[in-house]
Amino acid sequence: GIQNLESCELCDSSFVWVSNVPEFVNLDQTTNCFNIEDLSILEEITLFNDLNYQEPFYNYPQAWYNGRLTELNLSNFFIMGIPEMIQNLDELKVLDLSENEIFFLNNAIVEIPKLEVLNLINNPLMALPNAIGNLTTLKNISINSSNLDSLPISFGELDSLEFVFINNTQIKNIPEGLSFTPNLQTLHLSDNQIEELPNILCELPENCFINVSNNNLCNTYFFDCINEWWSQTCLSISKNEINDEFKFI
């Protein structure tokens, strides 16, 4: 169970001892002391979404290091929203929100200071927070939602990105700033509605794998740095025509 054993000096005052840790909790530590606020945020997520899981870990696969929550997997838990308190998970690096019912992300998401991986796959997202560029440590982001029709300009300010997966959305372009992401290794933009690419896209690192398959791009945008083009539906506005264009690499 969970109990505060401060008098026994097993845990610091901001931590609590949990004697029985379930298998879905990965411990990279030698103690059973857990940060009280981190545990309370797990409870808040559960209450916020009207879920019924057992405290203190609430059935969510998770990882802890030195008593702090570092990874949280909320995939397929019928999550509809995230409480503002999540911004206080200041050691959280991995957040998996895939396979849920999230239409809008709380702005508190972009205030998680050490977040490196954000998985939003298979949510009905309508928009991303305008200040998503605040996630300066973010390395990996995955999104697919047929409701999403644009990316915030600040998405191009995510300078730590190494992997971007944006699939099956209604977006028509990408922020120009994304072309200057110095460590990007994979840019996967297939099956969207993209009609134009930044002319400076090839400023990305030479080893960056770029997939723009199955969009609305004309051959003008078939840059040398693109690895996968496949089928495109070129929207020729000047002639008010729609032409299929194919490229094979």
Side-chain angles (χ1 to χ4, degrees), residues 51-155:
L51 302 175
N52 185 23
Y53 297 120
Q54 187 173 358
E55 63 176 8
F57 301 109
Y58 299 95
N59 288 36
Y60 311 130
Q62 55 198 268
W64 294 73
Y65 179 72
N66 285 342
R68 299 302 309 277
L69 185 63
T70 58
E71 299 183 19
L72 180 58
N73 184 348
L74 298 174
S75 179
N76 203 25
F77 276 97
F78 304 100
I79 300 292
M80 300 185 69
I82 298 296
E84 291 210 5
M85 284 179 65
I86 199 165
Q87 65 188 313
N88 296 332
L89 292 175
D90 49 21
E91 294 295 330
L92 189 69
K93 293 183 178 180
V94 178
L95 179 59
D96 188 346
L97 294 171
S98 63
E99 309 288 346
N100 283 301
E101 299 298 326
I102 300 172
F103 284 86
F104 295 96
L105 281 175
N106 192 312
N107 286 329
I109 288 279
V110 305
E111 302 300 331
I112 303 175
K114 295 184 180 180
L115 193 65
E116 296 181 1
V117 178
L118 179 58
N119 186 352
L120 300 168
I121 291 291
N122 291 343
N123 279 281
L125 275 173
M126 303 289 291
L128 296 176
N130 286 331
I132 195 167
N134 288 357
L135 293 172
T136 56
T137 59
L138 194 66
K139 296 180 179 180
N140 183 316
I141 186 167
S142 300
I143 308 166
N144 69 342
S145 169
S146 58
N147 295 326
L148 187 67
D149 61 6
S150 65
L151 298 176
I153 293 176
S154 72
F155 194 95

Side-chain angles (χ1 to χ4, degrees), residues 25-231:
V25 177
N26 181 22
L27 293 182
D28 189 8
Q29 58 189 51
T30 57
T31 177
N32 282 39
C33 294
F34 295 85
N35 182 268
I36 295 172
E37 184 174 19
D38 289 1
L39 289 173
S40 70
I41 292 171
L42 295 181
E43 179 182 21
E44 187 68 19
I45 291 170
T46 305
L47 294 174
F48 190 86
N49 290 281
D50 197 25
L51 302 175
N52 185 23
Y53 297 120
Q54 187 173 358
E55 63 176 8
F57 301 109
Y58 299 95
N59 288 36
Y60 311 130
Q62 55 198 268
W64 294 73
Y65 179 72
N66 285 342
R68 299 302 309 277
L69 185 63
T70 58
E71 299 183 19
L72 180 58
N73 184 348
L74 298 174
S75 179
N76 203 25
F77 276 97
F78 304 100
I79 300 292
M80 300 185 69
I82 298 296
E84 291 210 5
M85 284 179 65
I86 199 165
Q87 65 188 313
N88 296 332
L89 292 175
D90 49 21
E91 294 295 330
L92 189 69
K93 293 183 178 180
V94 178
L95 179 59
D96 188 346
L97 294 171
S98 63
E99 309 288 346
N100 283 301
E101 299 298 326
I102 300 172
F103 284 86
F104 295 96
L105 281 175
N106 192 312
N107 286 329
I109 288 279
V110 305
E111 302 300 331
I112 303 175
K114 295 184 180 180
L115 193 65
E116 296 181 1
V117 178
L118 179 58
N119 186 352
L120 300 168
I121 291 291
N122 291 343
N123 279 281
L125 275 173
M126 303 289 291
L128 296 176
N130 286 331
I132 195 167
N134 288 357
L135 293 172
T136 56
T137 59
L138 194 66
K139 296 180 179 180
N140 183 316
I141 186 167
S142 300
I143 308 166
N144 69 342
S145 169
S146 58
N147 295 326
L148 187 67
D149 61 6
S150 65
L151 298 176
I153 293 176
S154 72
F155 194 95
E157 299 170 6
L158 296 169
D159 291 340
S160 297
L161 281 176
E162 297 176 0
F163 178 90
V164 175
F165 180 93
I166 301 175
N167 174 262
N168 192 32
T169 74
Q170 302 300 312
I171 66 169
K172 295 183 178 181
N173 52 49
I174 61 173
E176 189 172 278
L178 196 59
S179 304
F180 298 110
T181 310
N183 300 311
L184 196 62
Q185 300 172 10
T186 301
L187 179 59
H188 188 106
L189 299 172
S190 68
D191 299 291
N192 296 294
Q193 302 297 320
I194 298 174
E195 299 176 9
E196 57 182 3
L197 295 170
N199 291 327
I200 54 174
L201 186 67
C202 292
E203 294 292 327
L204 285 169
E206 187 176 350
N207 63 345
C208 181
F209 185 89
I210 303 174
N211 181 355
V212 295
S213 303
N214 304 325
N215 280 285
N216 297 330
L217 292 164
C218 297
N219 281 339
T220 307
Y221 295 104
F222 184 47
F223 304 142
D224 291 342
C225 59
I226 291 175
N227 301 95
E228 291 193 8
W229 177 271
W230 198 237
S231 173

